[in-house]
Amino acid sequence: MERLAAQAADDLAEAPAEEIIRWAVQTFGDRLCITSSMTDAVIVHLASQVHEGLDVIFLDTGYHFPETIGTRDAVSAIYPVNVINVTPSRTVEEQEAALGPRLYGRNPDLCCYLRKVVPLERALDPYDAWITGVRREETAARSDTKAVMWDPRRQMVKVNPIVAWTQEQVDQYIADNGVLVNPLVYDGYPSIGCATCTMKVEAGADPRSGRWTGTGKTECGIHT
C-alpha cells in the first residue's frame, strides 16, 4: 500500500481532481471514504460526480456552530453520498466532569485529540483510503502535501484531489457548480472549526487566522 501511494503520487502529481478521485474509487472501491468539515461541499460534490454513494465522515465534536450542523444535514439531503456522523466517546458534559470545564481553552491540543483525532481513528478503521479537501496553500504545515500520500500513523492511503487548488479556484468551482457552502463563510468565517475556537476574520486576513486565535495552534492534529 505504501508503494502504491508513492507511485500514485508521481503518476497523479499534475492530474485534475476528478482523475485523482477516479483512481481512488477504482483502486479502493467501498474501502474508500471522504472526510469533510462542512465548511463547503466542494470535495463532496467532486467525488459524487465521479462515483455516487461514497461514505462521508463528519466529526461531530459537540462544539460545532448550528450552521455547520445544518450544512451537514443539507449535504446529506442534497448529494448522493452517505454522511456518517461520528462522535467522541464522551459527551461535552462527560468530558467536563472528568477533565474540568473549557478544556478547549486550557489545553486545545488535548481537546482536539479527544474530540477529533481519536474519533477519526475509530471511524477510519474500516477503510483503506480516505479523500480529504486539504490544500497546500492553507497552512505552512500543508505546503508539501501530495495528491496521494501514505499515512503511516493510520496505515492507509490519503488522497488529496484539490491539494494544488488556490482559494480562487475553490471559489470559482463553487460558483460554476452551485456547490453548497456553510453560510458562516459569507459572514467572515472562511475556515470553520468548533464554535469555541473559531473567530470571525477581517477582510484580507489569513483565512485560518480565526482558528485557535492567540494560541499559536494552526492544526487540530488530523493532518499532521
Side-chain angles (χ1 to χ4, degrees):
M1 292 279 280
E2 186 173 0
R3 290 194 297 272
L4 175 71
Q7 185 61 56
D10 290 338
D11 294 344
L12 299 170
E14 305 297 328
E18 292 85 355
E19 184 177 334
I20 296 168
I21 294 169
R22 189 170 295 107
W23 169 85
V25 169
Q26 292 172 349
T27 303
F28 301 106
D30 60 5
R31 301 282 292 180
L32 173 71
C33 68
I34 305 167
T35 56
S36 175
S37 68
M38 299 300 167
T39 296
D40 59 55
V42 168
I43 201 69
V44 172
H45 182 275
L46 270 165
S48 66
Q49 296 298 296
V50 174
H51 184 76
E52 295 185 357
L54 287 168
D55 290 344
V56 177
I57 293 173
F58 173 71
L59 300 175
D60 188 348
T61 65
Y63 288 122
H64 281 301
F65 291 100
E67 291 88 345
T68 301
I69 299 302
T71 302
R72 174 204 64 192
D73 295 343
V75 165
S76 181
I78 292 171
Y79 297 102
V81 295
N82 177 35
V83 175
I84 299 173
N85 197 65
V86 175
T87 58
S89 60
R90 289 172 170 167
T91 65
V92 168
E93 294 74 21
E94 289 169 342
Q95 178 174 290
E96 290 186 347
L99 300 175
R102 299 185 70 256
L103 181 63
Y104 54 81
R106 295 181 288 108
N107 191 337
D109 285 338
L110 179 58
C111 192
C112 284
Y113 179 75
L114 295 174
R115 307 204 72 77
K116 290 186 176 182
V117 177
V118 172
L120 181 64
E121 308 293 332
R122 183 181 74 246
L124 288 177
D125 188 60
Y127 305 99
D128 290 329
W130 57 311
I131 295 173
T132 85
V134 167
R135 295 184 296 111
R136 292 189 190 110
E137 73 167 18
E138 291 175 312
T139 69
R142 302 179 183 187
S143 60
D144 61 349
T145 305
K146 298 178 180 179
V148 181
M149 304 174 66
W150 174 245
D151 185 340
R153 182 170 72 185
R154 301 177 179 94
Q155 292 292 292
M156 63 190 305
V157 177
K158 185 175 180 181
V159 184
N160 310 298
I162 61 171
V163 67
W165 284 23
T166 63
Q167 185 60 51
E168 289 73 21
Q169 287 174 290
V170 172
D171 294 342
Q172 190 62 57
Y173 186 87
I174 289 170
D176 290 346
N177 295 278
V179 174
L180 190 66
V181 176
N182 189 319
L184 288 172
V185 170
Y186 302 117
D187 194 31
Y189 295 85
S191 179
I192 304 168
C194 293
T196 51
C197 303
T198 306
M199 296 179 65
K200 187 176 289 191
V201 173
E202 295 296 327
D206 180 349
R208 287 183 67 88
S209 62
R211 304 287 295 277
W212 306 287
T213 302
T215 67
K217 180 177 171 67
T218 61
E219 296 277 357
C220 67
I222 288 174
H223 298 296
T224 56

